[in-house]
Amino acid sequence: MHCRQWIFDMDGTLTDSMGVVWEGAPDALLRRYGRTPKENLRSALLTMGMQEGAQYLIREYDLPLSEDEYYGVMREVIAELYETVELKPGVREMLARLRAEGARICLCSNTWADQCRTVLRRLGVLDDFEFIVEAQGALHKSRPEVFAQCMERLGGADPAACAVCEDAIYAASTAQKAGYYVIGIADPASAADEAQMRRVCDQFLPAWSALDWTRA
């Protein structure tokens, strides 16, 4: 294993939450206010950070909410949906091996850090991660700075020796262009991007059990 630092996304990468939470939450919130989601809503939100997505929904659906009020309502909706989320198969075993081999691990997610902690604590893997970075605002994953910050905090200096693990093509592409070792994981929510993911990832996995440790 040549990668000593590992940066993990959560939703769709470690947990099965893309469909349950992030495809379901905007619909659930809009319906609270009598709005009908448009057909392209999911694809429109996929590449947006939390703040950008909030502004988009408030504007496009004329929601009677300030941005702060929106976050409060959305947190309620998301917290309820996250109670049904589980780890993807093979995640526990993969994290245990990384710990045993002395790798340093962090989480870099678009999801609020406190919500990530709640989910990972319930699933029993929170202590595997040294810290959590919220990929929002200037640290959105469409820019490489967030991965650089994570790598440096993990004690790394060489992107090629730092694994970035993602299910979303925009984030995987950002990491690939910046020289990181990119591991993609299949997820139903991003199935349409599989061909692109295979092109930009050093490894693209159908499941975590397929990880080639000799290459990672």
Side-chain angles (χ1 to χ4, degrees), residues 169-187:
I169 184 60
Y170 81 97
S173 296
T174 299
Q176 186 266 339
K177 291 173 184 175
Y180 292 86
Y181 187 86
V182 182
I183 299 174
I185 184 76
D187 189 78

Side-chain angles (χ1 to χ4, degrees), residues 51-110:
Q51 183 176 27
E52 190 179 2
Q55 293 169 349
Y56 173 83
L57 289 173
I58 292 169
R59 180 180 68 251
E60 292 296 314
Y61 291 90
D62 192 28
L63 294 175
L65 298 169
S66 67
E67 198 170 318
D68 286 343
E69 290 169 337
Y70 167 91
Y71 290 134
V73 175
M74 182 57 90
R75 282 176 185 260
E76 292 176 8
V77 171
I78 287 172
E80 293 172 4
L81 294 174
Y82 264 122
E83 288 300 314
T84 66
V85 162
E86 298 294 338
L87 290 173
K88 285 190 163 186
V91 167
R92 292 184 195 280
E93 295 80 3
M94 178 266 298
L95 292 175
R97 180 162 177 174
L98 288 176
R99 287 200 316 273
E101 297 197 14
R104 299 185 65 182
I105 311 170
C106 75
L107 193 75
C108 179
S109 175
N110 292 346

Side-chain angles (χ1 to χ4, degrees), residues 131-153:
F131 56 85
I132 297 172
V133 169
E134 291 184 4
Q136 299 180 24
L139 289 178
H140 190 256
K141 293 182 188 180
S142 60
R143 301 172 59 182
E145 288 84 357
V146 67
F147 297 124
Q149 181 186 111
C150 289
M151 178 181 65
E152 290 167 6
R153 289 182 64 182

Side-chain angles (χ1 to χ4, degrees), residues 13-65:
T13 300
L14 296 175
T15 59
D16 63 358
S17 45
M18 281 304 297
V20 172
V21 178
W22 294 107
E23 291 186 357
D27 289 8
L29 183 144
L30 290 174
R31 291 193 175 101
R32 282 193 180 194
Y33 295 93
R35 308 302 197 262
T36 301
K38 299 174 184 177
E39 290 185 6
N40 69 340
L41 177 60
R42 292 176 183 176
S43 59
L45 292 174
L46 186 60
T47 61
M48 296 182 189
M50 194 70 67
Q51 183 176 27
E52 190 179 2
Q55 293 169 349
Y56 173 83
L57 289 173
I58 292 169
R59 180 180 68 251
E60 292 296 314
Y61 291 90
D62 192 28
L63 294 175
L65 298 169

Side-chain angles (χ1 to χ4, degrees), residues 18 125 143 158 204:
M18 281 304 297
V125 295
R143 301 172 59 182
D158 179 9
F204 181 77

